[in-house]
């Protein structure tokens, strides 16, 4: 799947990929803020789906999903500090925790 966002050097941390902004598009602060927060969160979520090599993992990241490519089996969930950590995994993705459910 292709990313919908790209890193930006402008006023947004991320922006929609290949989107051409129009003059006066954000006539009020609320529209600007809503757009920037939504696109920022989408960019962060897309970034979390990009597999990273094992040597980039750090203890502060905690448990992650560990993959071997090509993907032929479910990922291992845990950390390299686990006593049963598999030696065949090469990449990881961060765990995305669900939002809290409101009662």
């Amino acid at each position: 799947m292709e990313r919908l966002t790209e890193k930006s050097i402008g006023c947004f941390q991320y922006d929609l990929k290949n989107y051409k902004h129009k003059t006066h598009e954000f006539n009020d602060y609320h529209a600007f803020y809503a757009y920037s927060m939504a696109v920022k969160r989408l960019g962060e979520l897309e970034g979390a789906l990009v597999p990273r090599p094992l040597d980039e993992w750090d203890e502060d990241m905690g448990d992650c999903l560990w993959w071997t490519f090509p993907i032929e089996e479910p990922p291992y969930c845990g950390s390299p500090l686990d006593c049963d950590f598999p030696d065949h995994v090469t990449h990881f993705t961060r765990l995305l925790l669900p939002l809290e459910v409101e009662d």
Side-chain angles (χ1 to χ4, degrees), residues 41-74:
R41 183 66 176 140
L42 177 60
E44 291 169 350
L45 291 171
E46 286 181 327
L49 296 174
V50 177
R52 296 168 57 182
L54 176 109
D55 60 351
E56 290 184 14
W57 181 83
D58 182 84
E59 277 184 52
D60 295 333
M61 292 179 177
D63 290 342
C64 294
L65 296 176
W66 294 89
W67 307 89
T68 302
F69 292 96
I71 298 174
E72 296 175 345
E73 61 184 48

Side-chain angles (χ1 to χ4, degrees), residues 18-88:
N18 301 323
Y19 180 74
K20 304 291 185 221
H21 289 281
K22 298 173 184 77
T23 306
H24 306 295
E25 181 175 20
F26 302 112
N27 281 336
D28 66 44
Y29 176 77
H30 297 293
F32 171 81
Y33 184 78
Y35 176 86
S36 65
M37 289 293 102
V39 173
K40 175 181 179 276
R41 183 66 176 140
L42 177 60
E44 291 169 350
L45 291 171
E46 286 181 327
L49 296 174
V50 177
R52 296 168 57 182
L54 176 109
D55 60 351
E56 290 184 14
W57 181 83
D58 182 84
E59 277 184 52
D60 295 333
M61 292 179 177
D63 290 342
C64 294
L65 296 176
W66 294 89
W67 307 89
T68 302
F69 292 96
I71 298 174
E72 296 175 345
E73 61 184 48
Y76 172 81
C77 183
S79 82
L81 303 176
D82 297 343
C83 60
D84 60 344
F85 186 76
D87 58 356
H88 64 279

